[in-house]
């Protein structure tokens, strides 16, 4: 391919959700931070209607197609994300033509840190600027969400996109997914002598996609049974749980209802400047996902249990489950011991060696050049 046209660079970060898992598609509460790992989109408009896509990520084949030919399902693989942005913008009525898009991202792929939303959000921002579309954050997030739900075919909520676009440095983003209003809550781990450690288990079990869709369908079924538009509208959690038949459906609902309450308690603790107090809520969130929502796996449980045994204040799986990453809130002085213990436990189980990151609350998406 001839050299790519570049009119600017737009950056969008990955995210770690501190707490509020599987609540976004239930109109509930989430509390993500943006991480330093970022997708950068180098984008230039083309006048010939061609869409040329490239990524520095290993195994990402370059693609050259006509922007007007895009249709859901027509593209598989990584190129569906940037091409899906063009499709979603056109579907929303924006007159987007051809472009060159080169992606350079250091967000770990498939680790539950939302490399997909980082990529899509960077490209949405690029087109918003280049075509002066006047997109606000929420509309940009909806476009990026439609890339995944309608073009790629994964029924995701709005957490990843809103986090990548809306987070600010040094803060967690307390977001109400019912109306997408949010506030920034100070989250100063370092000031409290703590680290938020991310353990990428490198596991990705077959249930990832089907398990997610199935949980989502359960929540909708339960809301219908309870006669509410979504689980967020449940006024009396105990009565609602008692009204559901004893079994997996009731337990799944219990996860969602209790998880929303945990988010609110964590937000209160952070507003009081008490970062240490969130530890037990993280651990309770993990137990709820393991026992009630049943989305954990041996690698995630090993990471969480080992971190806790080594003195972590709290730990939980993050993201969809069935693999991906866990987080642990750890005293700075215990960080190395926790890391070493998790490595050792993974080796003892013959799991793939994990990777570790520190999640520092970072800036959301922006134009960089
Ligand atoms: P996550 O968002 O948790 O990392 P997903 O399965 O939602 O996991 O998204 C991962 C997919 O996003 C990859 O399989 C690939 O198609 C695409 N992707 C993410 N980052 C890149 C990149 N830098 N280059 C090419 N494709 C990417
Ligand atoms: Mg993703």
């Amino acid at each position: 391919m001839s050299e790519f046209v570049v009119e600017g660079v737009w950056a969008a970060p990955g995210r770690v959700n501190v707490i509020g898992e599987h609540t976004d598609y239930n109109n509930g509460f989430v509390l993500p931070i943006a991480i330093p790992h970022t997708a950068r989109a180098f984008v230039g408009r083309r006048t010939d209607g061609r869409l040329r896509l490239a990524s520095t990520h290993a195994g990402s084949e370059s693609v050259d197609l006509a922007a007007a030919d895009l249709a859901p399902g027509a593209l598989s693989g990584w190129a569906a994300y940037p091409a899906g942005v063009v499709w979603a913008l056109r579907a929303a009525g924006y007159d987007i033509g051809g472009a060159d898009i080169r992606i350079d991202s250091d967000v770990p792929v498939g680790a539950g840190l939302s490399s997909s939303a980082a990529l899509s959000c960077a490209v949405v921002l690029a087109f918003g600027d280049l075509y002066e579309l006047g997109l606000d954050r929420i509309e940009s997030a909806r476009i990026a969400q439609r890339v995944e739900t309608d073009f790629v075919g994964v029924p995701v909520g709005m957490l990843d996109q809103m986090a990548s676009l809306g987070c600010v440095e040094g803060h967690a983003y307390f977001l109400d997914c019912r109306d997408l209003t949010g506030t920034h809550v100070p989250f100063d781990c370092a000031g409290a002598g703590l680290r938020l450690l991310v353990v990428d288990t490198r596991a990705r079990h077959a249930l990832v996609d089907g398990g997610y869709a199935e949980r989502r369908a359960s929540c909708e079924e339960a809301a219908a049974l309870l006669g509410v538009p979504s689980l967020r509208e449940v006024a009396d959690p105990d009565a609602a749980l008692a009204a559901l038949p004893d079994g997996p459906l009731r337990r799944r609902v219990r996860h969602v209802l209790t998880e929303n309450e945990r988010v609110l308690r964590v937000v209160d603790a952070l507003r009081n400047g008490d970062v240490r107090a969130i530890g037990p809520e993280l651990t309770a969130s993990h137990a709820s996902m393991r026992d009630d929502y049943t989305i954990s796996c041996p690698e995630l449980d090993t990471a969480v249990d080992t971190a806790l045994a080594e003195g972590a204040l709290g730990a939980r799986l993050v993201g969809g489950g069935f693999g991906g990453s866990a987080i642990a809130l750890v005293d700075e002085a215990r960080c190395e011991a926790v890391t070493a213990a998790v490595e050792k436990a993974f080796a003892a189980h013959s799991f793939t060696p994990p990777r570790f990151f520190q999640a520092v609350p970072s800036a959301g998406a922006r134009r960089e050049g």
Side-chain angles (χ1 to χ4, degrees), residues 114 116-117 148 160:
S114 207
S116 61
E148 304 217 23
D160 300 351

Side-chain angles (χ1 to χ4, degrees), residues 55 57 60 78 81 103 105 108-116 119 204:
S55 169
H57 184 67
S60 307
W78 84 275
Y81 291 90
I103 302 295
S105 172
V109 170
L113 304 177
S114 207
S115 68
S116 61
L119 192 169
R204 190 169 165 83

Side-chain angles (χ1 to χ4, degrees), residues 24-87:
D24 64 342
Y25 55 79
N26 288 301
N27 280 348
F29 303 117
V30 295
L31 187 70
I33 59 171
I35 55 176
H37 305 78
T38 297
R40 291 189 170 77
F42 298 74
V43 183
R45 288 165 292 178
R46 295 182 65 85
T47 51
D48 61 0
R50 303 300 298 173
L51 189 58
R52 302 195 309 168
L53 312 168
S55 169
T56 54
H57 184 67
S60 307
E61 262 181 53
S62 299
V63 169
D64 182 343
L65 73 170
D69 289 349
L70 294 169
L75 265 182
S76 62
W78 84 275
Y81 291 90
V85 173
V86 175
W87 172 82

Side-chain angles (χ1 to χ4, degrees), residues 224-237:
L225 281 173
L226 293 167
V228 287
S230 79
L231 292 180
R232 174 64 182 284
E233 280 74 33
V234 166
D236 181 342

Side-chain angles (χ1 to χ4, degrees), residues 97-180:
D100 282 347
I101 304 174
R102 184 162 53 82
I103 302 295
D104 186 6
S105 172
D106 64 355
V107 185
V109 170
L113 304 177
S114 207
S115 68
S116 61
L119 192 169
S120 305
C121 288
V123 177
V124 172
L125 270 196
F127 281 112
D129 272 1
L130 288 174
Y131 284 90
E132 297 179 8
L133 302 179
L135 302 175
D136 65 16
R137 225 179 275 290
I138 292 179
E139 195 174 1
S140 300
R142 283 200 200 286
I143 296 285
Q145 182 196 27
R146 285 196 71 191
V147 171
E148 304 217 23
T149 56
D150 297 9
F151 201 79
V152 177
V154 195
V156 296
M158 284 280 270
L159 161 64
D160 300 351
Q161 297 76 14
M162 289 297 289
S164 184
L165 291 164
C167 281
V168 301
E169 201 177 334
H171 293 73
Y173 193 16
F174 173 40
L175 191 66
D176 182 343
C177 294
R178 181 157 61 181
D179 56 8
L180 296 176

